[in-house]
Amino acid sequence: MSEYEFAATASDVGKGEHVPPTMTQKSLNDDVLKLISVPGPVWWTIFLLDLAILLVAMIAERNQIVHGVGVAGHTRPVMWASYVANFVFWVGIAHCGTLVSAILFLFRSHFRRAVYRVAEAMTVFGVLTAGLFPILHLGRPWFPYWLFPYPSQRQIWPNFRSPLEWDVFAVTTYLTVSSIFFIVGIIPDAAAMRDRARNPFMRLIQTIFSFGWRGSNNQWKHFYSAYLYFAAFATPLVLSVHSVVSWDFAMAQVPGWHSTIFAPYFVAGAIFSGVAMVINLLIPIRWGFKLQHIVTVDHIEKLSKLVLLTSTIVGYSYLVEFFSAWYGPSPYERDLFWWRATGHFAWAFWIMFTCNVIIPLSLWFKSVRRNMTVLFVICLLVNVGMWFERFVIIVTSLARPFEPMSWGVNYRMSWTEGAILAGSFAWFFMYFLIFVRLLPAFSVAEIKETLPPPMRRQPS
Amino acid sequence: MKRALALVIVAATLAAATHALSQSFSVQLGKNQGPKQPIFYSHELHAGKLGMDCLYCHTGAEKSPIANIPAVGTCMGCHKLAATDRPEVQKLAGYYERGEQVPWVEVYRLPDHVKFNHKRHVKAGVACQTCHGPVEKMPVVYQYSSLKMGWCVSCHRQNIDHPEYPAPMDCLVCHH
Amino acid sequence: MSDSVVYTRRDFLKLVGIGAAGAASGCAPPQAEKLIPYLVAPNDVLPGIPYWYASTCTECPAGCGILVKQREGRAIKIEGNPAHPVNRGGLCARGQAGLQGLYDPDRLKGPMVREGGAWKPVAWDQALRLATEKLAPARGKVALVTSHATGSFHALCGEWATAAGGTHLVYEAFAHESMREANRRTFGQASVPRLDFERATFLIAFGADFLETWLSPVGHARGFATMRARRDGGAFVAVEPRLSLTGANADEWIAIRPGGEMALALGMARTIVTEGLGAAGGSGAAMDALSAYTPEAVEQQTGVPGATVQRLARAFAARRPSLAVAGGIAAQSEQSVALHAAVNLLNHVAGNLGETVHFDRTLNLDAVAPFGEVQNLIAAMGEGRVDALVVHGANPAYAVPAWAGFVPAMDKVPFKISLSSVLDETAEHCDLLLPSTHALESLGDAEPLRGVYAILQPAMQPVPLFDAKPAGDMLIALARGAGFGQSFPDGWRPYLEARWRPLHGRFGGGRDFETFWRETLQKGGVWEEESAATPARWTGAPVFASPELKGTGELALVLYPSPALYDGRGANKPWLQELPDPTTKAVWGSWAEIHPDTAAKLGVRNGQPIKIATEAGSVELPAYVYGGIRPDTVAIPLGQGHTAYGRYAKGCGVNPLSLLSAATDAASGAVAYLSAKATVTVGAQAMDLVVTQREKIQSERVVAEVIPLAALAASAAVPGVSHAGSHDDSLAASAVADSMHGGNADTSHRAPAHRAAHAASGHAPASGAAHHPVHPSQTRPGKYTEPMARPPDYRPPAHAVTAFESEHPARSGRQNPVTEGHYKHAKHRWAMAIDLNSCTGCSACLVACHAENNVPMVGPEPIKRGREMHWIRIERYERKLDGGENDVRFMPMMCQHCGDAPCETVCPVYATYHNPEGLNAQVYNRCVGTRYCSNNCPYKVRAFNFFDYAAPEKPTFAFPEPLNWQLNPDVTVRSKGVMEKCTMCVQRILEGKGNAKDEQRALRDGEIQTACAQTCPTQAIVFGDLVDPESAVSKASHGERRYWVLGDLNTKPGVTYLKKVQRPVEPV
C-alpha cells in the first residue's frame, strides 16, 4: 500500500492536520504545479525584504574591500573567525541534499520522494553561498583566481600542499556534481510544466530545463540509468567534501584543530545541520502551499529521526575531543579544552553544546517529532548551534595559541561581519524563493510512482 | 544553422583565450612607442653614430642598483662647445643656465614591489641591449622588454647553471 | 665629506620625489613618471648607493657616537659607531628614533612671530631684524637657556651670554646635580665618575636605573652584559621600591621602603667596617657617621631584615672588585646627596674607588645647571630682571615642575625668542620662533666624556620643507645685529674651526688641518685611548639623614623616567610612543602602577581608572596592577602629557609633575621627585591602558628558559668532554664573536664591535655557587634544559640538523627553491643566536627594526585589538616578583625562520616559502591574505596589514610627509591585505653578498648584520651563517645553554636561544 494512505488515517485526525482528499494523478499535478504561477503580494514582500538585507551586506562588503579586512573583527592571533565559520556552515548545509537524494535513493528509502527536490535545491544554493566566503575573507579579494592552477606568464603554480588548495577542488567538484544531479532530476517535471505553461517566458524556461524530453520509454530508461549513475557518483562526495573542509583545520598544528576525529565529526555535523535545515524549509512550504498531503508528517518525522541520529554522533565527538585532550600527552591541548569550556568564550561553547546535544534529545519522543511547531523550533536551534560549533572550533582554538604572550587578545565580531552573515542567508533565500516559483519544488514524476495507476471506470 | 552558430562561438572563445595567453607571455612591446621627451635626445646619434659607451652617461649601471640618468652637467661637458647651434642643444643649455633639471619622461617602468639591481646584471656580463634592445638604433627610446615577471624568470631559468654567474631562482632576490 | 655632498635644495626635493615613487606601493596603474637627474652630479654621490656619516647622538646627554646612513640625500637610518668610546656600536631606542625628530611632520616650516594670540609666518630677515631690535635694548638683561650642549656650542653660548651681559643656563631635567655635589663632598670631585661595570663581580644598585635613562645607558648595558657573562660572581642586587627595567635584570630585588636606600647602604658599610672585611678599612670619620646604622637600626628604618643587610655587606666585600651605584631620578629625594654620599662611602670602605669607580674619563655634565640656578632664573624673570629670553633645545615649560612656577615667570619676560625646531610648550610661550636645524642637519662638536672630542656633522641637507638655520649662525647673527657680536667670527663654521685648531695641535700628528678635519669627520671625533685619572680620595662624610615624604596620603608617590621618552623629549616620535614599555608593555599613554594588594583594597582591576591625589593636585590614570611594586607605593612614568610638541605628543597621557609640591634636595637643590605621599581612590574615567602583552605568566611552556649557574658549572666539570661549547667559559654568546673578530682589524661599522670577552677569560669555570642546589626539573632531560655536553664524534639529532648544519655543501641551480622544502645543498644557512642572559629588555632592537624595514606605527586603537605591526617584540615573563630572589625574563621574539615552518605548507599561493639559504621568505605581492600562515605560526610573529598604512590618501596612512622620507628604499612598503614579518634583513644579506662578489672573496663572518643585532647594546643577538662551523652564530648555537622556543613542536627554528643564567647572591 502506498504511503499516501497513511496520511488519511485517523492517526492524523484531531492533530490539526489537514486530511487530504485521496490523491489522483491530476490532483497531484495541479497541487504541485500550482506553485509555479505569477507570484502574489506575499511572495513579493518576502522577496523584496530579502533583497534589502542583501543590499546592506553588499554595502558592508564594499566597505571591507575599500578599507581592508580590518573592518572585520579579526586580530592577531584570531586571524580567522566568522567568515570561515560561515563557509563551513553553508558547506555543511549543502550536504544534506545529496544525502537525501542520492544515498537514500540508493537505499531505496521511498520517503525521500516527497522531500528530495527541496533538499537538492538547498544543496546547490548552499554551495553557491559557501563559495563566496573563501573569497570575501581574503585580504586581497581581487586575487582569488591565483588559487586556481592555470598557466601564467609568471611561471608559478599554487601550492598543492595547502589544505586551502584542496578546498578549491573539493568545493568546485561538489558544486558541479550536485547541480548536474539537481538539473537531471528536474527533467521530466520540467517537461510536464512546459506542456502546461501558457506564459511564453515560463515555457521558454521549462523548455530549457526539460532538454527536449518527450517521455518516451527509451528516454525513461536512459533517465533512470543516468539518475542511478549520478546518485552513485555523488554519494562519496558527501563524505569527501566535508572531510577536506575539516582538514583546513585538522592539518594545522593549532591546539584544538590538530585532531584525527575531525573528518567524520564534520561530516556528521554537516548532515545534522543539513537535515535540520531541510525540515526548516519544508514545514513552512507545506503549510504555506497547503501540501500537507504530499509532504506528510511521516516524511518529516523520518527526517527528524535522522536529526536525532546525527546529533548523537556530534555529541559523541564533542565528548571524545575532551577525553582525548585529557588522556593525551599534549599540555597545550589539555589547556585549550579547559579554557574553551570555562574561558572567555565559554558562552559560545555552551550555546553549541545545548543546542546540538541536549535539546535534540527531546526527539526521542514521538509526540515531539510529530509536532511541527516544536520540531521547527528545535531544528532552528540546531542550526544556531551548528553555526556556533564552527565559531567555537575556529575562534577559541586560535585565541589560545602556544605562546602565552598572545593570550588575552580577544576577537569581537564587527557589524560588517554581522551584516555579511545576514546577507549570506538573504543570498541563499533569494535563490530559493526564485526556485519555488520557477521549478517544481516536488518531484511529480517520482511521487506518481506511488499512486495507484489511473483506471478507466468499469464498463457497465 | 544552430550548430554552426555554436561552433563559431566556441572557436571565437578559444581564439581569444589563446591570444590573451600568448600576450601575457609576450616580451616584445610595440615598436617606436617611446614617450615624447622634453628634449629630442637621439640615442641613435650618440650611442650609434658617435659610438659613445653607455656607461659614459649612465655611470651608475655598473656601480649601483640604479643606472642613473646623467646630470645636465654631464651633457654640458660636451655641449658647452659641441653643436651649440642646434635648437635642441640650446634647449638643453637653457635648462642648464636656469639651473633646472631636464624633466625626462620615464621609459622603462618596473612593476611595483620588485627590485632590480643593474650592478649585478652588468657585472654578470649581461649586455645593455639584452634588455634595452638596440638602443644605438633608436632615435626615440621605447620600452623594448615587457619587464613582466615571466620575462625575467625565463632568462634566469636559461642561465640558472651559468658556470660563473648562476642566475638565482629565489623569489627573495627580487621581492623583498 | 659632509660638505662635499653638494646639490641644491631643488635637486634634493626631486631626488626625494623619485625615492618616494620607488617606495610607493599598491596596484597603481602605470603612469608616466618623471625622472629627475642631478643638475650637477656631485662627484662622490651615486643614486642607489648608501653613504654613512659619523656624528654624535643628541637625544640624551650621554653623547653616543652614531653613523647615519644616507640614501639619495635622505638620512634613513642611525646606527651606533663601533669606534666610539661611549657606546662602542650599540645604540638605544631613543637614539635610533632621532630620525623621527628630524622628519617630524610638525616641525616649524619657518620663522613665526606672535601677533595677538596667533602665530604669523614672517621672512627670515624680518624675523632676525625684529629679534635684534628687541635684543639691543635688553643688553645686560638677557637670559639664554639651552639644553645640554658641550664643546664649541656651549662655549659660544657662554661667550654670547657674557657679551650680551646676561646669563647662560644649561637646562636638563635630569641634571644629576646631587650626585655631583655628593662626589664633591666625599671625593673632592664635583663630577660624574666612570663606572666600570665590566670589572665588577658584584653589583648593587640603590635606585639607579642605569640600563634605562641614568647617565650613559648604552655604555652601562655593554659593561653590565660583560659582567653578567662571567661564570664567577657577576651577581646583581637591585634596591628600589618599584622594580624598574634595571631591577628586573637583577638576581635579587630588595623591595625597600621609599627613601630607605641610604640607611641600607650605610648599614652595609658599617657591617663591612666592623667586621673588617673592607680593603680600605674604616676611616675614623666614616666610622662615626656609621655607628648609628646597626643592622637592627637599619631593619627598623627600612624594613630590610638585619640578616639581609649583613649578607649583602659580606657579599659586597667578598666579591672584589664590587660596585655600588645610586640615585636614579626615581630615587631623587630631599636627601639624595646623603644617599649618594652613603653609596660613595660604601664603595670607599669596600675599596672600589679606583677599581670600579674612576674619575678619569668622567661624564661631562659639569656645565649642566643645578636646579638652584633654574630657580634663580625663575626669580629673576618673575621680578622683571630679564628683558629678553632666548631658548634653544630645552623645554623647561614642560619639564620644570609646576610648583617652581617657570611658566608664569617666563610670561613676565617682555620678549622671548625660541630657537626650537618644533613648537613645544616653551616655544608656545615665546613671542618669536626662529627654528634652528635639527642635530642631524647641523655641524658641531661635543665632548660627552672628558677627553673625548666628538663631531656632529650634517648627514643631509636641511629638510627643505622646513626653513631653518643653524643655531650657531643665528646666535652670532643676533649678537652682531644687537651690537655685541664684535668678538665673534662671521659665522658658526669659522668659530668651530677656530676651536679645533688646538685639538689639531694635540691630535693632528703633523697632518695639515684639512686632512685632520676630514679624518676627524670620518672617524666621528678624536680621543685619547686612555685618560689620566684625576686623584680622588675620601675626604669625609656629610651628615646623613633619611628623607621624609610630605603629605597625608598613605602611598608613597614614585615618579620614574620613562625608558622610551626620557624626560619627555621622545614623546613626539611615533616609534617611541609605540614602543611597548619594558615593564608594563603599554604604549601611547600613561598609567599608575599599584600592588595587587592595593588594587584589591580599592577593588580595581587592571586597566580600571584610579585617582592619584596629593597636596599639589590629582590625576586620573588607568591602574596597572603590578607585583613588582611595594604595597605602600604608587608609581607613575614621566614624559607624557604634553600640551604642545606636535600631533603625536599632544594630549597623550598625563604629566605627573603636577603632583609634586615644592621640594628640593637639601644639599644640592635638585628637584625632589620622590617627595610626596599620595591618596589613591577609584577614578571616574581615564584613558585606556593599551598593552601589547596581556599575559605575563609563561605557565609550563618552553618559552623563556633559565638554568642555574650550578648546573652549568657541573656540566663544564664533566671530565673528558670536549665540545664546541667549550668556548663557553664566558656565557656571552657573542663573546665568541669577538674572540673571532679580535684578530681581523675590521673596523667597518658592520663588524660586531670588539667586546671585552677578555674580562671573562681566565676565570676558572665552576667557581662560585658550588653550594647552590640544582632543581631536578632543570636537569631533567627532554625539557631543553639539560646541559649539552657533546662527545667528539657528536652528530646533532636529526631534528636539529636543519637548524645547526646544512646537509650538503653545494647546490645545483636546477632545484627550484620554491618546491624545495629543505634548503638542501645550501651555501648558507642564515640564523640567529639570542642570549637571554645578555638581553636586558631595553627594546632598542624594535626601533632599529622599524627604521630598517619600514614598519608602520598604527596608533593605540588598532593595538587595543592586537593589531600592532612590529616584526620583533620583547616578551616579558614574570615568574617571581615579590622581593628577594628575582625571576623576570625578557625574550626577543621575531620570525624563527623554522627549518620545518608550519606557515609554509599552508599558504595556497606560495607567498611564503623556504628559500635555499634557510630564510622563511614572505613575498608580499604574491600574498592574497588568507592569513592561514599566521594561524599556523606557533610563535605568532606574523603581522597582517589590516588597513592601508602605505597609501597617502587613506586615513590610516602611517607615514605623513615627511616621515615617509625615512623609508628604506631597499624594502617594500607593504600594502593593504598582505602578511609581513621579519626577513632577517634580507636586503642587508643581498647587499653583503653583492659586496663580497664584487671583491671576489668569500663572505666574512659578522660582515652581514641584521638591524636588531647591530644595534643591540649588549650584543645579545648574534646573526650569521650556520654552514660555517667557525662562525660566531654556529659556536653560540652549539653552546651548552642552547634551546629552541617551543622546541617540542619540532619546527627546527633557525633562531637558537641561550638560557638565562640564574645566579646565587650569597658569597662563596
Side-chain angles (χ1 to χ4, degrees), chain B residues 12-166:
Chain B
T13 330
L14 283 178
T18 330
H19 179 67
L21 193 63
S22 60
Q23 271 304 318
S24 77
F25 279 95
S26 72
V27 298
Q28 294 289 331
L29 298 183
K31 295 269 184 286
N32 304 319
Q33 296 301 308
K36 178 165 185 343
Q37 299 288 2
I39 297 177
F40 179 73
Y41 170 83
S42 162
H43 278 81
E44 185 184 29
L45 173 63
H46 293 78
K49 289 209 184 62
L50 304 177
M52 289 169 60
D53 179 8
C54 309
L55 293 178
Y56 180 83
C57 302
H58 303 285
T59 47
E62 62 171 354
K63 301 201 207 80
S64 152
I66 301 170
N68 60 316
I69 306 289
V72 184
T74 315
C75 312
M76 293 306 285
C78 300
H79 284 293
K80 272 207 172 66
L81 308 171
T84 46
D85 51 343
R86 310 269 174 77
E88 292 300 316
V89 176
Q90 282 156 359
K91 243 196 258 173
L92 175 74
Y95 279 106
Y96 187 70
E97 281 139 22
R98 289 195 303 281
E100 279 177 30
Q101 299 80 14
V102 185
W104 300 108
V105 183
E106 184 184 46
V107 176
Y108 279 78
R109 181 165 179 84
L110 199 63
D112 289 325
H113 296 325
V114 60
K115 308 263 186 293
F116 177 81
N117 190 329
H118 272 93
K119 179 169 92 172
R120 289 264 69 79
H121 289 80
V122 173
K123 292 228 165 166
V126 181
C128 308
Q129 284 80 353
T130 316
C131 308
H132 292 283
V135 177
E136 68 279 6
K137 297 190 183 57
M138 298 181 188
V140 176
V141 176
Y142 54 89
Q143 184 170 344
Y144 175 80
S145 316
S146 74
L147 303 191
K148 284 181 181 161
M149 178 170 161
W151 173 80
C152 304
V153 172
S154 42
C155 184
H156 272 236
R157 224 182 256 292
Q158 286 159 22
N159 296 296
I160 196 164
D161 287 331
H162 191 289
E164 207 175 339
Y165 299 100

Side-chain angles (χ1 to χ4, degrees), chain B residues 63-65 69-73 99-104 106 109 112-113 115 119-120 123 160-161 170-172 175-176, chain C residues 11 25-26 30 33-35 37-39 41 46-49 813-814 913 915-916 921 925 969-970 972 986 990 994 998:
Chain B
K63 301 201 207 80
S64 152
I69 306 289
V72 184
E100 279 177 30
Q101 299 80 14
V102 185
W104 300 108
E106 184 184 46
R109 181 165 179 84
D112 289 325
H113 296 325
K115 308 263 186 293
K119 179 169 92 172
R120 289 264 69 79
K123 292 228 165 166
I160 196 164
D161 287 331
D170 182 7
C171 315
L172 266 189
H175 300 292
H176 57 265
Chain C
D11 304 90
S25 70
E33 289 282 340
K34 291 273 187 285
L35 295 181
Y38 292 99
L39 180 57
L46 205 55
I49 303 287
R814 277 265 169 247
Y913 72 97
N915 107 322
N925 42 335
D970 293 336
T972 307
V986 62
L990 292 169
D998 295 348

